[in-house]
Amino acid sequence: MRCESAMRLIQLNAFNTLKQKISAGYSEKWLRRMLSTVGSNLLETRELTSSMKLEIERKWRNNLGDYRFDPTSDKPKRYVLAMFPYPSGNLHMGHVRVYTISDAMARFYRLNGANVLHPMGWDAFGLPAENAAMQRKIPADKWTKQNIEQMREQLEMLQFSFDWEREFATCDPEYYRWTQKLFLMLYEDGLAYQKEAQVNWDPVDETVLADEQVDDNGCSWRSGAKVEKKVLRQWFVKTTRFAKALYDGLADPTLEDWKDIIKLQKHWIGDCDGYNFELKVKGQKTSIPIWTKHPEHLKEALFVAIHPSNLLNSNKVNEGKLDIVIENPILGVNLPVIVTEKVNYPEGNDCYIGVVSVEEDRQLATHYQIPLNSQSKVESEDLRKNILAQASQLNLGGYPVSSKLRDWLISRQRFWGTPIPIIHCQSCGPVPVPDANLPVKLPLDSVGIPLSQNDTWLKTSCPKCHSPDATRETDTMDTFVDSSWYFLRFLDPKNQSELVDPTLSRRLMPVDLYVGGKEHAVLHMYYARFMNHYLHSKGLVSSPEPFKRLLVQGMVMGRSYRLKGSGKYLPAAEVEVIDEKKNKAIEKATGAPVVALWEKMSKSKLNGVDPLEVLKEHGCDTLRMILLGDVAPTSHRNWSEATFPGILNWQKRIWMTMHDYRLLRSAIEPAQTPPDTEEFLQQDRKLWDARNYFSAGATFNYKFSHQLSVGISKMQGLTNAIRRSAPEVVAFSAQYERAIAAQIIMLAPMAPHFASELWEQFRALPNRLNSSSEEIQWDLGVFEQNWPVIDEEYPLDLTFKVNGFECCILKIPTKDLNQLTHQQSLDLAFGQDAVLSYIGQRKVRHTDFVLYPGCDAILSITLEQLSKEDKEQLKNQTGEVKGKSSKKDKKKKKKQKEVIEQ
C-alpha cells in the first residue's frame, strides 16, 4: 500500500508540473506520453540503494582504465606519490584517507591530459615485523610477505589507481642492494662513518635510537620506554654537511604548500650561523667536534674545554686538566683539554674552544698554567676563507651548520633491516663490500637470532687482503634510510645496473604532489631531502628538492570513551551519550561519568573503525567521498555516521537526476524542437552560468588549493542547479546536457565506479544535443574524457586586495583573464575608485599577482604603514560621495597613481 501511495503522489506531482507547460506549446498527447513513461518505470530504479551501489562496483571493478605510467608518452608528466605504508596486515582509516586523496588527484591529472606516475610499495623492514615473527616463531620475511599480500588485496578492493607493475618492498634484496650501494657511496665520500658515542638505548626494543626518535619526555618514539644512555661504536651519516643547503633549500621558489613544514624543518636544522670542525685526539682514533661562529678562533686557540659528561672525561672528574691533547693543524700546535662547567658552551654542545681574545678564556688558561700564545684576535674575511679552505683540504670539516644539529645515527642492533655492507678485518680495518658482492643478504632461515650470534653468516673473508678471519658488520640500518630514497626507485624499479637511470630521474623528478601525514614532517622529510640533495650533488637528479608540492593530511579521529576516575577506555556499546554537543556520557552499567573525546583511532582506545566493514555496507565510492567530504584533507576528520547523510543523499540526487533525464529525453518526439520562450532561454542561460561557475570552483579546489571537501560542495551546488531545471529544459537544453557531462566527469576522480555507470547511461541517451561538439567524446568512457573547460566568454573574478583587504572585484572574460599579466592587472587596479581611495597618499611597498587559469586571479597590493596625518586624510577620502568622476577627481587619481608608482 505504501508503494502505491508513493506512486500516486509522484504521478500527481509530475502531472501538475507538466500541466503548467502546456502553454509553452507542447501537445497534450506528448505530455501524457511522457507522464505515462515516468509513472510506469520510476520506482524500479529511481531510488539508489546500497545493494545497487555494490552491484555497480562489481560491474566496473575491472573496467576503470589503464593506470600504468607510459615512459614513451610526450604528455606532461605528473608524479603523484603517497607515503608508502608499513605492511601491518590491516588497513586502517588513516591509510584509506591518504590513498583516497592521492588517488583522486592522480585521476584528476589524468583527466587533464597528464601522464601520471602513481606507484605503491611497502616500507617493510622494522621492529614490529621482527617482534611479531619472533612471537610466532616464523621467519620475519614470511610474516611480512603475508601482510603485504593481505594489504594489497584490501587496497585493490578500494580501487586505488596504483601502477602495481612498479611495486616493491624495502625488504626485497633487489631493493636493499641499492640501499647498500647508497651507503657505500656515502662512505666513499666521507659522509658515512663509525665512531664511539653516547647513544640512546631503548631497553624494550633493545636497540639504539637517533636523537630524533626520543620524545621530549626522554621516551622511545616506538616502545614508549624510558631511554637509557650507553656508549657504543655506531654508524653515522654526516647530514650536517648539507645543513646549509637544506636550510636554504626551503626558500626554493618551486616548493608549493609547504607552509608549516618549512617552519618545522627550519626549527630542526637551526640557523647555520657557525661552523663545525672535527679535531683529532692525539694518539687515539677518536675526534672531538668543535662548533664556533668564528673559524679564525682556530688561529688563536688556547685550549679545548669539555663538559664533565663528555666521553673524553673517562675518569669522571668534575673540574680539571686532562692528560690528553687535541691536534690543531690550523694553528700548528696541540691544545690541552680542560673539564669545566665555567664556559658558555654553544647550544647542544659539550665542547668549547678557548681563545686569546676572550678575557675569561685567558683567565682559565692562566689558572691551569696554559701559556698564552702571542696570537691576537684577527678579523678578516680572507683569513676566514683561508681557514675554511684548509679545514676542507685536511678533512676537518669547516662547513656551516647550527650548533644543535647532529649527524644521523643509523645503526640498529636488530635483525630485520638492511645489513650495513662493511667487513671488519684485523689487518685492514673496515672494508667496503665490493659492488659485485651486493646485496649482502640477511640469513632468512634463522628466527630471532641476532646477526652477531649467527656464525655462519658472520664469518667471511676480507675483500682487500683475503684474510679468512674477517667478520661482517652486525648492525642493520635504520628503516628511515630505506625510505629516504624510495621515491627514486619507483621511477626505475627493475633497473639491474644502477640505483636509477639519471636521464629518467632528471625527466621525472621532483615529485609533483607528495601526500602524507604531518607526523613525518620532520624526520622522514629531513632524511629524504638530505638524500636527494646528496644525489643531486652526484648528478643523479636534476633538482636538489625531491618534493615540489606537499599535501599533509590530518588524522582520522574516532570517538573514545574513558571512565572519569580511572581513565579506563570503554567500548561505545557500554556507553550512553547524554549530551552529544557537550560530550557528556555515562557508563550504562554503573551510571559513572564518562569523558567523551575525539582521538586518533587505535585498538587500545577502542575507537577504531574497520574500513572494510564500511566498504561492505556502503561501497567503495561512498567510503571515499565520506572521507573527502566535510573537512579539508589537511584537517583532522572526526569519523561519525552523523556526517554520512550529506554524501548518501547527494549520490541519490545525482542518480535520480540521471534517471529522470533518461526518461524525459526518451520521450521526445523526433519532430519536437526546443521551445522558443523567454523562460526557456533564461533557464538555459542559468545552466550555462552554473556549469561554468561550479566547474571553475571545483577545478580550483582540485588543482590549486587541494581543498577537496570544498570541491565536493561546488559539485553539490551544480547538482542543485541542474535539479532546479524545468522538464522542457531537461528535455531540450544543450546546456543541461553539458552540465550533466561536467557533473559526471568532475565526480569521476572521487567516485570512479559510480561515475562510470552514470556516464554509460549518459552516452546511451537518444537525441544528443551536443553531438557535433568536441567537448564530449561520445564514443569513449568517462576516464577518457577531457576535464570541463570554462567557456571563453564566461566572466571570472579578478580580485584586488590592499593590505589583505578585499576592496574590489572585476569580472573579466575567461579568455582575457587567462592571458592577464601582472602589469595589466596593476593598470586595471589603478583605474578603480575603490582601490585608489583605499591607497590614498601611501606608497606601494610591493605587489603580488597570482593567476589561476580558468578559475580566478588575485592582485595583492602591500602599502607602507600610514602616518597619523595619512590616516586622517584617508578617513576624509573614504567619506566622499561616489559618482561620475569629475576633472578634479581624474587629476586626483592621476596624482595618486604617480605617488604609487614612485
Side-chain angles (χ1 to χ4, degrees):
M1 290 295 294
R2 186 176 299 172
C3 289
E4 291 176 2
S5 299
M7 169 72 83
R8 284 196 298 271
L9 178 62
I10 290 168
Q11 287 180 324
L12 180 61
N13 290 338
F15 177 78
N16 289 335
T17 300
L18 295 173
K19 188 77 172 175
Q20 298 171 7
K21 307 302 174 183
I22 295 176
S23 59
Y26 295 102
S27 67
E28 182 76 24
K29 177 182 176 183
W30 179 79
L31 289 170
R32 292 198 175 279
R33 176 185 168 190
M34 184 159 56
L35 178 61
S36 172
T37 306
V38 173
S40 62
N41 295 303
L42 188 60
L43 291 181
E44 293 179 14
T45 57
R46 193 171 190 265
E47 182 69 27
L48 181 67
T49 64
S50 293
S51 60
M52 288 170 62
K53 288 190 286 185
L54 295 174
E55 181 60 35
I56 288 170
E57 289 177 11
R58 281 191 290 270
K59 172 182 175 179
W60 290 100
R61 181 173 179 79
N62 298 314
N63 296 287
L64 295 179
D66 188 354
Y67 313 135
R68 291 172 298 179
F69 176 79
D70 181 3
T72 65
S73 172
D74 58 359
K75 291 182 179 179
K77 71 92 181 177
R78 285 291 181 272
Y79 187 177
V80 179
L81 181 64
M83 294 181 183
F84 65 171
Y86 167 75
S88 59
N90 292 295
L91 286 180
H92 54 66
M93 280 296 182
H95 289 131
V96 180
R97 190 182 194 199
V98 67
Y99 302 132
T100 296
I101 293 168
S102 75
D103 188 61
M105 291 309 303
R107 292 181 186 275
F108 166 77
Y109 287 131
R110 291 190 191 100
L111 283 166
N112 279 269
N115 184 23
V116 177
L117 175 60
H118 187 216
M120 175 49 63
W122 311 95
D123 192 6
F125 273 137
L127 286 169
E130 182 173 341
N131 291 337
M134 289 169 63
Q135 291 170 5
R136 293 163 177 77
K137 297 182 179 180
I138 60 173
D141 69 314
K142 182 178 180 181
W143 169 254
T144 301
K145 287 176 182 176
Q146 288 175 355
N147 286 347
I148 287 174
E149 290 172 5
Q150 187 172 332
M151 286 185 73
R152 188 195 301 112
E153 183 180 343
Q154 294 168 8
L155 288 173
E156 289 175 342
M157 289 171 67
L158 288 156
Q159 290 290 279
F160 297 127
S161 58
F162 296 125
D163 185 346
W164 286 108
E165 290 187 1
R166 294 173 182 270
E167 178 190 16
F168 60 73
T170 57
C171 64
D172 297 337
E174 273 308 305
Y175 179 84
Y176 68 73
R177 167 192 179 185
W178 298 107
T179 305
Q180 291 173 342
K181 174 60 181 175
L182 195 51
F183 173 89
L184 293 177
M185 290 168 62
L186 293 164
Y187 183 78
E188 290 164 8
D189 289 339
L191 296 175
Y193 64 95
Q194 193 177 29
K195 74 171 184 178
E196 196 171 72
Q198 188 176 57
V199 296
N200 306 302
W201 180 260
D202 185 328
V204 173
D205 285 333
E206 296 184 331
T207 190
V208 164
L209 301 174
D211 289 340
E212 303 93 314
Q213 295 166 340
V214 180
D215 65 21
D216 293 337
N217 298 315
C219 296
S220 167
W221 73 302
R222 189 182 293 279
S223 72
K226 198 73 176 177
V227 168
E228 301 171 358
K229 293 293 183 180
K230 277 192 176 187
V231 178
L232 295 172
R233 193 160 183 80
Q234 299 290 283
W235 285 97
F236 294 82
V237 172
K238 197 180 288 293
T239 51
T240 53
R241 178 65 183 82
F242 284 79
K244 186 69 164 63
L246 290 168
Y247 190 94
D248 292 345
L250 296 168
D252 189 322
T254 63
L255 301 184
E256 300 177 37
D257 286 350
W258 279 61
K259 298 176 184 174
D260 294 341
I261 309 305
I262 288 179
K263 296 177 184 177
L264 293 170
Q265 288 279 304
K266 281 188 172 182
H267 178 74
W268 180 254
I269 298 168
D271 291 328
C272 300
D273 54 356
Y275 300 84
N276 218 39
F277 299 91
E278 290 284 337
L279 301 182
K280 293 181 180 178
V281 179
K282 188 173 179 61
Q284 298 184 22
K285 293 183 179 180
T286 59
S287 62
I288 190 166
I290 300 293
W291 184 90
T292 177
K293 288 187 176 182
H294 309 285
E296 57 271 18
H297 280 179
L298 292 179
K299 275 288 189 183
E300 53 170 326
L302 293 172
F303 59 84
V304 170
I306 63 171
H307 192 271
S309 62
N310 190 287
L311 289 181
L312 286 178
N313 184 21
S314 56
N315 294 326
K316 305 299 180 185
V317 300
N318 293 323
E319 185 83 20
K321 185 178 176 183
L322 300 183
D323 292 331
I324 58 175
V325 294
I326 306 297
E327 296 177 358
N328 182 0
I330 304 297
L331 183 61
V333 299
N334 296 329
L335 303 176
V337 179
I338 298 172
V339 179
T340 183
E341 293 186 52
K342 296 177 181 177
V343 298
N344 293 320
Y345 292 102
E347 180 188 0
N349 282 251
D350 59 4
C351 298
Y352 172 88
I353 190 165
V355 296
V356 173
S357 58
V358 177
E359 174 62 27
E360 293 82 357
D361 294 352
R362 290 202 303 272
Q363 291 177 5
L364 195 58
T366 302
H367 176 75
Y368 284 105
Q369 300 180 349
I370 297 171
L372 301 178
N373 59 45
S374 60
Q375 295 284 344
S376 60
K377 184 177 181 181
V378 179
E379 288 189 357
S380 165
E381 188 62 32
D382 289 339
L383 175 62
R384 173 175 290 203
K385 290 180 179 178
N386 181 263
I387 290 172
L388 294 176
Q390 279 185 268
S392 179
Q393 290 170 1
L394 296 168
N395 200 27
L396 301 180
Y399 43 83
V401 66
S402 68
S403 66
K404 66 178 183 178
L405 191 64
R406 293 290 173 270
D407 285 337
W408 179 12
L409 191 163
I410 66 165
S411 291
R412 296 295 176 267
Q413 292 66 44
R414 298 301 298 240
F415 167 87
W416 192 233
T418 298
I420 294 176
I422 294 290
I423 292 171
H424 297 281
C425 175
Q426 293 180 357
S427 302
C428 306
V431 180
V433 173
D435 287 356
N437 295 343
L438 296 179
V440 177
K441 294 184 179 181
L442 290 168
L444 299 180
D445 54 344
S446 60
V447 178
I449 301 175
L451 295 177
S452 58
Q453 297 175 20
N454 191 323
D455 288 343
T456 304
W457 181 87
L458 183 64
K459 293 180 179 179
T460 188
S461 59
C462 173
K464 198 170 183 180
C465 71
H466 307 293
S467 168
D469 297 326
T471 57
R472 298 186 186 280
E473 172 60 59
T474 58
D475 281 353
T476 55
M477 296 185 212
D478 179 12
T479 55
F480 278 114
V481 181
D482 305 317
S483 60
S484 69
W485 72 280
Y486 79 108
F487 47 89
L488 289 171
R489 192 61 182 173
F490 275 135
L491 307 178
D492 208 9
K494 295 178 173 61
N495 194 323
Q496 298 293 312
S497 58
E498 52 191 340
L499 182 148
V500 63
D501 181 348
T503 304
L504 199 58
S505 69
R506 293 188 195 107
R507 176 186 158 204
L508 300 180
M509 288 293 290
V511 173
D512 293 284
L513 180 64
Y514 196 33
V515 187
K518 195 171 184 178
E519 64 271 22
H520 301 298
V522 176
L523 300 188
H524 164 63
M525 291 295 292
Y526 175 67
Y527 299 141
R529 291 183 63 231
F530 160 78
M531 204 63 79
N532 203 75
H533 272 253
Y534 168 68
L535 292 171
H536 174 67
S537 73
K538 306 289 287 184
L540 292 177
V541 291
S542 58
S543 60
E545 291 299 331
F547 312 119
K548 180 180 179 181
R549 193 164 197 171
L550 295 181
L551 204 169
V552 181
Q553 97 283 352
M555 293 183 290
V556 181
M557 315 288 276
R559 197 71 174 273
S560 65
Y561 302 96
R562 301 176 68 179
L563 282 173
K564 196 167 186 179
S566 64
K568 176 186 175 184
Y569 283 99
L570 298 174
E574 296 178 12
V575 174
E576 180 182 348
V577 178
I578 304 298
D579 190 324
E580 181 81 22
K581 292 184 178 179
K582 295 183 179 179
N583 290 327
K584 288 186 177 181
I586 59 171
E587 186 180 20
K588 288 180 179 178
T590 64
V594 170
V595 178
L597 301 168
W598 288 105
E599 297 184 279
K600 181 180 179 180
M601 288 185 176
S602 72
K603 291 180 181 178
S604 62
K605 295 172 184 173
L606 306 177
N607 67 340
V609 174
D610 185 354
L612 298 185
E613 291 300 316
V614 183
L615 190 69
K616 291 176 184 176
E617 181 177 356
H618 294 288
C620 163
D621 289 356
T622 301
L623 171 57
R624 290 161 60 109
M625 288 195 290
I626 287 171
L627 280 168
L628 294 175
D630 292 332
V631 297
T634 52
S635 302
H636 293 326
R637 176 70 165 86
N638 292 339
W639 184 264
S640 169
E641 291 193 7
T643 64
F644 290 12
I647 293 298
L648 297 176
N649 292 333
W650 180 39
Q651 277 189 287
K652 289 178 180 178
R653 290 199 306 275
I654 295 174
W655 185 261
M656 289 178 187
T657 302
M658 179 55 69
H659 177 268
D660 296 350
Y661 185 33
R662 184 180 68 250
L663 293 178
L664 289 167
R665 283 286 293 276
S666 299
I668 296 176
E669 295 178 344
Q672 197 75 34
T673 59
D676 185 17
T677 65
E678 184 61 29
E679 184 179 357
F680 177 87
L681 294 175
Q682 284 182 358
Q683 288 204 37
D684 194 55
R685 175 74 183 188
K686 284 182 179 179
L687 279 170
W688 177 83
D689 185 80
R691 184 190 65 80
N692 281 294
Y693 175 78
F694 290 115
S695 294
T699 300
F700 177 82
N701 286 284
Y702 264 113
K703 187 174 183 179
F704 298 111
S705 73
H706 295 154
Q707 301 284 349
L708 299 179
S709 57
V710 182
I712 286 177
S713 297
K714 296 297 181 183
M715 288 188 277
Q716 289 172 331
L718 180 57
T719 305
N720 295 337
I722 290 171
R723 288 187 58 75
R724 283 194 291 267
S725 300
E728 72 271 19
V729 175
V730 177
F732 293 109
S733 170
Q735 295 303 329
Y736 188 94
E737 187 175 78
R738 294 181 72 202
I740 286 282
Q743 174 91 84
I744 300 171
I745 294 169
M746 292 191 298
L747 180 65
M750 297 183 181
H753 309 84
F754 189 51
S756 295
E757 179 64 27
L758 292 171
W759 190 259
E760 184 179 67
Q761 293 186 24
F762 176 71
R763 288 173 57 197
L765 290 173
N767 308 308
R768 294 171 180 169
L769 304 175
N770 292 277
S771 57
S772 61
S773 170
E774 295 182 0
E775 181 178 80
I776 302 172
Q777 308 297 315
W778 290 100
D779 56 338
L780 299 176
V782 68
F783 287 106
E784 297 169 287
Q785 300 301 310
N786 297 316
W787 192 257
V789 176
I790 309 305
D791 290 323
E792 289 189 343
E793 298 304 320
Y794 181 76
L796 293 171
D797 290 350
L798 169 59
T799 302
F800 299 121
K801 294 183 178 180
V802 181
N803 283 1
F805 172 71
E806 185 180 296
C807 62
C808 183
I809 296 176
L810 285 185
K811 294 288 186 180
I812 298 179
T814 298
K815 64 179 179 181
D816 297 327
L817 184 116
N818 288 346
Q819 304 299 320
L820 198 64
T821 66
H822 191 160
Q823 184 58 51
Q824 288 171 338
S825 69
L826 281 171
D827 293 340
L828 289 168
F830 296 149
Q832 308 306 311
D833 290 339
V835 175
L836 292 177
S837 63
Y838 195 85
I839 291 174
Q841 298 299 318
R842 286 178 290 179
K843 290 184 179 180
V844 173
R845 188 187 303 163
H846 66 82
T847 62
D848 182 50
F849 177 68
V850 182
L851 172 64
Y852 302 105
C855 298
D856 62 12
I858 301 171
L859 176 70
S860 299
I861 301 173
T862 304
L863 306 176
E864 289 184 349
Q865 194 168 4
L866 273 177
S867 65
K868 289 183 179 179
E869 293 78 10
D870 290 336
K871 287 181 180 178
E872 189 63 33
Q873 188 174 356
L874 180 62
K875 286 181 182 178
N876 295 332
Q877 288 176 343
T878 54
E880 294 176 358
V881 179
K882 294 181 180 179
K884 289 186 177 181
S885 297
S886 64
K887 290 182 179 179
K888 186 178 179 181
D889 290 332
K890 289 178 180 178
K891 287 181 180 179
K892 185 178 178 182
K893 289 177 188 175
K894 184 177 180 182
K895 186 176 179 181
Q896 286 176 325
K897 184 174 179 181
E898 289 172 354
V899 171
I900 291 165
E901 291 175 337
Q902 289 173 5

